[in-house]
Amino acid sequence: MSDQQSLHAGVNIGRTDPEAHEEAGPVMFGFWVFLMSDLVLFALLLATYSAMSLHGIAGGPTPKDVTDLKSAGIETALLLASSFTFGMASLAQKYRDDRAPMVAWMVATALLGIAFLGFEARDFVKLAEEGHMPQRSGFLSAHFTLLGCHGLHVSAGLVWMAVLFVQMRVPGLERLVRLRIMRLALFWHMLDVVWIAILTFVFLYGAA
Amino acid sequence: MNTHDLTYWLFGNLRWSDFPPKSDLIATGAASLVILGALGVVVLLTVTRRWRWLWSEWLTSLDHKKIGIMYIVIAFVMLARAVVEAALMRTQQAVAINAPGVVSPEHFAQLFTTHGSVMIFFMAMPFLSGIINYVMPLQIGARDLTFPFMNAVGLWLTGAGAALVMVSLVIGKFSIGGWSGYPPFTELPFSPGEGVDYWIWAVTLSSLGTTLTGINFAVTLYKERAPGMRLFRLPLFAWTSLCTAILMIFAMPPLTVATALLALDRYAGFHFFTNDLGGNMMNYANLFWLFGHPEVYILILPAFGIWSEVISTFSGKRLYGYKSMVFAVMCIAVLSFTVWLHHFFTMGQSANVNAVFGIATMLIGIPTGVKVYDWLLTMYGGRLRLTAPMLFAVTFLFCFVLGGLSGIILANPPVDFSVHNSLFLVAHFHNMLIPGTLFGMIAGYMFWFPKAFGFRLEETWGRIAWGCWSAGFLLAFLPLYMLGLFGMMRRTAETFRAEYAPWLWTAWGGAGLIVCGLGALIVQLIVSIRRREALAVPVGDPWDGHSLEWWTSSPPPEYNFAVLPKIEETEAFTAMKRRGRAYESPEDYADITMPKHTGLPVMIGAAGFVCAFALTWHIWWAAALGLLAMWGGVVARSFRSDFEHVIPAAQIERENEAWLARARATTPVDRFAELDPANRGKAVERQ
């Protein structure tokens, strides 16, 4: 089988053995299927949020009271930038034999991800200081749960990345690590997609 | 820190008083049975020195066939428990007319909660996951599922959930909130104890496992089919497995969300479903039934697949209307997501919404009707052999149509207003689930048992089981339609209408017959094991089968097929037999790579159990430890690359040629003589 035929569609795994290309098909497809399942989770949390933001206020703060557009803007910029840097890491994996640029782009991704989580935590602390805790109303429960679930996914992605940083140095895992980086990339980009939905429904609608 | 704080830190809410003996005799008896059963298994394994065998051959295996069998073992254990609970509930309702009966109202509530939860999550789901696990890869000509490790993790998460439900019989109490766990009753102010938490974590563990399993099944069906096995050449059971898997992928997350939000309410004081501060129970109803309705079709579709295989095999005919069957399955899968609201017609939405969902619900009758006609037309003009699985199929066709009609009645919102939450509803869904799912699973177990173990099940006891189950089902559930129309509500621990008595006692008799049916299945298994030499079918095709799973020895080798077949049409094995090429030697053998055994999935399941048990009792340190161990297991696995072992071509050639030689030397029997001891696994159509 020629190299061209066995390449996986989209951003693929680059210069490595044919066996790895063969293996990429089912594992990438499987991960797409998992992501569909995970998206159902976010869709339901968004639906819950939209119901609660209308009917679950209970005399407490409204979406307008808890929306900090400036902070949301910074968070969006950080997360989109991290998706860009991960894209660059994927391209480096595909086209460069040298591992250094790939690692550098992934480190940048991780730092941007950590900064995003930092801003999100700051938002949460600020809300808590104003007395807007999730126990206050159904709306705030939904607000914290939706954002928290996304934040938890970002954290999980960061832990995953940390494990991969270690594994890049473990001999004998190269093929597996390359496949895992491809899957982590999909996961990371999906979190961007979810964030855009959150930005729209939580922050832009909230501020309006 | 005083002693109370220290005790809480170490043991959470767990106290000596949560351990047996229980307040009433029946509960103490049940707890003792669980303990004695567990001890019995330990003693048996120790005396027969089978621990090492159990661990190295079974528990650590990633072989889809062994995982499938282990799922079915879980299903049978849980079936036994839930059937006994059902019999106890029938007894209670029969005797509790103007009298307290045999169990307390609280205990009765625990019984209907565990009966429902166990039957759905820990009997039906493991049973169908087990059969799909065993059969589907064989049918599509695959060596294993795409992700064998994930498959084992799914099994052990389900096992952990089942273990949690069993432990709740011994330590503390289970939920009394019904299998659907409706808030606000399941919120802290109304259910402060550990019961609802047991329910939440048991269900969460199994739903996570099922999501993983669904992904695995779907990817396997898309990616691992043998060369030439196009989608429209798949056997019907493989088709229903695919649609079931897709439903699992999309329908299990709503359940996980529902239980997770309920847990946030209970553990962190959130207000998703509470009565106050903006909580809204209807959010739960929507989330739960967005899972719950497709779940009904997760339960029924694999059974539809089994009926298609059983009816076409024992009619000696091709399945009538193959394509219409496939399209019907796909339609049912899609429609199953559009009807969830019929589960709460009476909860206050507008008449227009009810009308839309009522019509959507009735529409499912169309593709289902297509399937029923196709099955009937498969039998029409066929040469029927009324073996035990086929008898179950015939009972299914009669009873399922009846249940379907009651479903069409219930789909009408005005009718639903008058009979909802009555025994009419209980009769309806048992009418669908027992002949539909459970009979399907039992038929599948009998149909594929010789494939899995190399010997047939004893037929007489199979027919006795069929008789008891069928008559028992009719006697136990048809009276409930009447009782429902008379106005008797479900989940009633005590009634005050003496005229219910004859109907309730009839139902009680039916429950007794079902217990006999379960007993007959156990006897059948024991008798068959004893007579396994006489019943052996090593060649592997005892019923003149149509699809690929019959084209390998019984039991099949670890790698399923020595050489993957090339598929040119539907009913691949029939085609091979017709051309006389079923038992030809392949031109060439090659090495086969298979996954190695590993104990990690068992460890991940055990850690999941520890985490869930600790969360139930608020033992935070153990919960954190369990969660860390679960993820640690996954991370540890990712540091290894030697997952596989290679089976050399020479060994495969030796094993396969031995099987082929045996197959060629075996005298075929006419398929009408398939129950004869002369059937060594080579049944053929009379020439």
Side-chain angles (χ1 to χ4, degrees):
Chain A
M1 197 184 281
S2 82
D3 238 18
Q4 209 52 42
Q5 274 176 314
S6 61
L7 291 188
H8 188 262
V11 174
N12 57 57
I13 132 177
R15 297 181 178 87
T16 174
D17 55 315
E19 209 184 321
H21 287 293
E22 195 91 338
E23 201 180 316
V27 295
M28 293 304 288
F29 179 68
F31 201 72
W32 274 106
V33 177
F34 161 74
L35 289 182
M36 289 200 292
S37 187
D38 210 26
L39 279 174
V40 173
L41 189 119
F42 280 110
L44 294 169
L45 289 179
L46 271 163
T48 305
Y49 173 86
S50 76
M52 290 307 222
S53 65
L54 287 175
H55 304 300
I57 304 294
T62 61
K64 209 177 178 92
D65 299 327
V66 300
T67 303
D68 181 350
L69 261 190
K70 196 175 136 201
S71 190
I74 296 170
E75 282 155 23
T76 308
L78 287 169
L79 205 60
L80 290 186
S82 79
S83 236
F84 173 76
T85 51
F86 210 137
M88 296 304 286
S90 299
L91 290 175
Q93 160 157 283
K94 184 177 180 184
Y95 292 113
R96 307 274 296 269
D97 277 334
D98 187 5
R99 187 166 277 180
M102 184 167 88
V103 173
W105 283 116
M106 277 180 67
V107 168
T109 310
L111 291 176
L112 288 165
I114 291 167
F116 168 85
L117 282 180
F119 271 91
E120 196 163 53
R122 201 192 64 145
D123 283 357
F124 281 179
V125 170
K126 210 175 102 196
L127 284 180
E129 279 169 354
E130 291 164 4
H132 299 165
M133 296 290 281
Q135 288 82 1
R136 172 63 190 82
S137 70
F139 158 63
L140 282 171
S141 300
H143 179 88
F144 274 88
T145 305
L146 173 59
L147 290 172
C149 185
H150 179 266
L152 210 60
H153 273 71
V154 175
S155 314
L158 286 170
V159 173
W160 189 355
M161 223 177 281
V163 171
L164 289 186
F165 280 133
V166 177
Q167 291 187 346
M168 284 180 190
R169 309 200 164 274
V170 179
L173 286 183
E174 196 203 27
R175 176 159 66 92
L176 295 169
V177 171
R178 281 173 171 262
L179 290 170
R180 282 174 195 148
I181 289 172
M182 286 165 69
R183 275 175 282 176
L184 178 57
L186 282 184
F187 183 73
W188 201 261
H189 298 316
M190 180 206 71
L191 290 179
D192 246 16
V193 173
V194 172
W195 179 259
I196 295 303
I198 291 176
L199 176 74
T200 311
F201 291 110
V202 176
F203 293 103
L204 296 181
Y205 268 96
Chain B
M1 196 188 270
N2 61 37
T3 32
H4 178 264
D5 285 346
L6 186 68
T7 324
Y8 180 76
W9 198 88
L10 279 177
F11 302 111
N13 292 332
L14 199 54
R15 296 290 173 272
W16 279 119
S17 55
D18 293 315
F19 289 86
K22 306 278 184 179
S23 50
D24 72 284
L25 202 64
I26 292 175
T28 310
S32 321
L33 265 182
V34 173
I35 297 169
L36 287 176
L39 275 177
V41 171
V42 169
V43 169
L44 193 70
L45 285 168
T46 311
V47 171
T48 55
R49 297 169 175 275
R50 287 288 179 95
W51 280 107
R52 176 176 293 278
W53 163 82
L54 182 71
W55 177 257
S56 56
E57 295 284 314
W58 286 89
L59 304 186
T60 57
S61 175
L62 299 192
D63 183 339
H64 72 94
K65 299 185 285 302
K66 287 187 173 166
I67 288 176
I69 291 167
M70 286 189 278
Y71 263 119
I72 294 168
V73 169
I74 293 178
F76 266 115
V77 171
M78 300 310 273
L79 174 69
R81 172 180 168 176
V83 163
V84 171
E85 285 171 340
L88 190 53
M89 281 190 285
R90 283 277 130 257
T91 309
Q92 165 72 15
Q93 287 199 328
V95 299
I97 301 174
N98 294 313
V102 291
V103 292
S104 67
E106 205 223 348
H107 189 181
F108 186 76
Q110 276 190 47
L111 285 173
F112 67 65
T113 306
T114 45
H115 171 78
S117 308
V118 165
M119 278 297 196
I120 300 283
F121 296 111
F122 301 109
M123 189 287 288
M125 294 295 276
F127 216 144
L128 67 92
S129 296
I131 293 190
I132 297 177
N133 237 308
Y134 194 94
V135 175
M136 181 269 284
L138 285 165
Q139 282 199 329
I140 66 173
R143 299 230 183 272
D144 205 328
L145 294 184
T146 310
F147 308 113
F149 181 79
M150 193 163 96
N151 193 24
V153 171
L155 166 73
W156 292 110
L157 288 180
T158 307
L164 198 65
V165 183
M166 290 313 265
V167 162
S168 77
L169 262 183
V170 180
I171 303 170
K173 289 174 174 157
F174 201 72
S175 169
I176 56 170
W179 83 277
S180 48
Y182 267 6
F185 182 71
T186 48
E187 294 282 358
L188 267 190
F190 306 101
S191 302
E194 68 283 357
V196 177
D197 301 322
Y198 264 130
W199 178 83
I200 288 176
W201 302 119
V203 165
T204 305
L205 278 175
S206 82
S207 68
L208 289 175
T210 307
T211 312
L212 295 180
T213 305
I215 294 171
N216 214 342
F217 287 161
V219 175
T220 305
L221 273 151
Y222 282 120
K223 293 286 184 186
E224 310 290 334
R225 280 169 284 133
M229 181 64 94
R230 293 191 210 135
L231 282 174
F232 273 98
R233 287 174 185 168
L234 286 178
L236 234 282
F237 181 74
W239 260 113
T240 58
S241 303
L242 178 60
C243 291
T244 305
I246 293 170
L247 292 186
M248 285 173 174
I249 293 161
F250 290 107
M252 298 321 281
L255 177 65
T256 310
V257 172
T259 53
L261 299 188
L262 185 61
L264 281 173
D265 276 5
R266 288 178 61 86
Y267 283 79
F270 282 33
H271 289 284
F272 285 105
F273 316 125
T274 53
N275 276 341
D276 54 348
L277 291 171
N280 186 349
M281 184 275 162
M282 292 314 293
N283 287 339
Y284 184 90
N286 273 297
L287 288 171
F288 186 83
W289 292 110
L290 257 177
F291 144 76
H293 199 82
E295 166 73 10
V296 171
Y297 292 90
I298 293 176
L299 298 176
I300 204 76
L301 287 181
F304 283 176
I306 293 171
W307 296 131
S308 303
E309 306 290 329
V310 165
I311 289 174
S312 110
T313 304
F314 291 115
S315 301
K317 268 177 74 183
R318 288 178 83 86
L319 191 67
Y320 183 90
Y322 172 86
K323 281 207 173 174
S324 65
M325 280 287 207
V326 172
F327 284 118
V329 173
M330 288 196 263
C331 286
I332 291 170
V334 172
L335 284 172
S336 73
F337 279 100
T338 66
V339 304
W340 79 93
L341 203 131
H342 72 222
H343 292 270
F344 42 100
F345 272 158
T346 60
M347 292 202 216
Q349 57 275 359
S350 74
N352 286 341
V353 172
N354 278 358
V356 166
F357 279 87
I359 292 165
T361 302
M362 293 180 200
L363 284 181
I364 296 194
I366 298 170
T368 313
V370 167
K371 298 185 76 68
V372 170
Y373 284 117
D374 279 343
W375 286 318
L376 292 176
L377 289 165
T378 305
M379 286 197 266
Y380 180 76
R383 303 169 72 193
L384 306 192
R385 289 114 73 202
L386 288 177
T387 55
M390 188 64 173
L391 287 170
F392 272 109
V394 174
T395 313
F396 155 77
L397 280 171
F398 278 106
C399 298
F400 194 76
V401 170
L402 189 68
L405 290 173
S406 69
I408 296 287
I409 293 169
L410 278 169
N412 200 335
V415 176
D416 186 72
F417 263 77
S418 53
V419 292
H420 84 280
N421 258 355
S422 75
L423 286 181
F424 189 89
L425 173 81
V426 175
H428 161 67
F429 70 73
H430 283 88
N431 199 164
M432 303 314 277
L433 288 177
I434 293 179
T437 301
L438 185 58
F439 286 3
M441 293 303 131
I442 295 174
Y445 152 79
M446 290 176 172
F447 186 59
W448 282 301
F449 186 94
K451 178 47 62 183
F453 295 99
F455 57 96
R456 286 178 286 117
L457 283 168
E458 215 278 327
E459 180 68 11
T460 312
W461 279 101
R463 289 183 186 177
I464 293 172
W466 163 76
C468 292
W469 274 104
S470 306
F473 159 75
L474 291 170
L475 279 177
F477 293 100
L478 294 191
L480 301 195
Y481 280 118
M482 296 309 291
L483 284 164
L485 292 174
F486 295 157
M488 184 167 171
M489 303 313 275
R490 72 200 285 207
R491 296 171 180 166
T492 305
E494 188 181 344
T495 59
F496 305 97
R497 304 286 296 267
E499 57 274 34
Y500 291 166
W503 303 94
L504 285 169
W505 280 107
T506 311
W508 179 82
L513 269 177
I514 288 178
V515 173
C516 295
L518 184 68
L521 283 178
I522 296 167
V523 174
Q524 182 195 33
L525 184 62
I526 294 169
V527 170
S528 309
I529 292 174
R530 289 219 177 131
R531 297 190 50 219
R532 60 185 177 278
E533 297 302 323
L535 296 168
V537 285
V539 175
D541 180 25
W543 320 126
D544 188 19
H546 299 310
S547 40
L548 281 180
E549 75 268 29
W550 306 108
W551 179 62
T552 179
S553 61
S554 284
E558 183 191 355
Y559 43 84
N560 292 351
F561 303 100
V563 174
L564 291 183
K566 280 218 185 329
I567 309 299
E568 278 148 19
E569 56 193 294
T570 49
E571 304 199 335
F573 186 43
T574 306
M576 279 187 217
K577 286 192 281 193
R578 203 183 306 122
R579 297 193 188 116
R581 292 169 59 182
Y583 302 110
E584 275 181 358
S585 292
E587 285 168 16
D588 205 9
Y589 289 94
D591 293 352
I592 295 175
T593 313
M594 294 305 293
K596 270 186 193 167
H597 286 213
T598 163
L600 261 182
V602 182
M603 194 220 85
I604 289 171
F609 174 82
V610 169
C611 179
F613 182 79
L615 281 170
T616 302
W617 292 99
H618 297 209
I619 309 168
W620 307 120
W621 64 269
L625 212 65
L627 190 66
L628 271 177
M630 272 171 99
W631 283 111
V634 176
V635 172
R637 167 83 173 176
S638 76
F639 275 86
R640 295 185 49 186
S641 58
D642 54 336
F643 309 132
E644 293 167 330
H645 70 114
V646 175
I647 304 171
Q651 183 194 338
I652 295 161
E653 177 166 11
R654 196 170 60 242
E655 291 173 2
N656 196 50
E657 290 299 333
W659 169 63
L660 287 171
R662 184 166 197 171
R664 288 183 210 119
T666 300
T667 323
V669 296
D670 184 276
R671 67 186 177 205
F672 276 89
E674 65 202 336
L675 302 175
D676 196 89
N679 183 1
R680 301 274 96 185
K682 201 175 170 189
V684 294
E685 192 178 353
R686 191 181 301 152
Q687 297 304 316

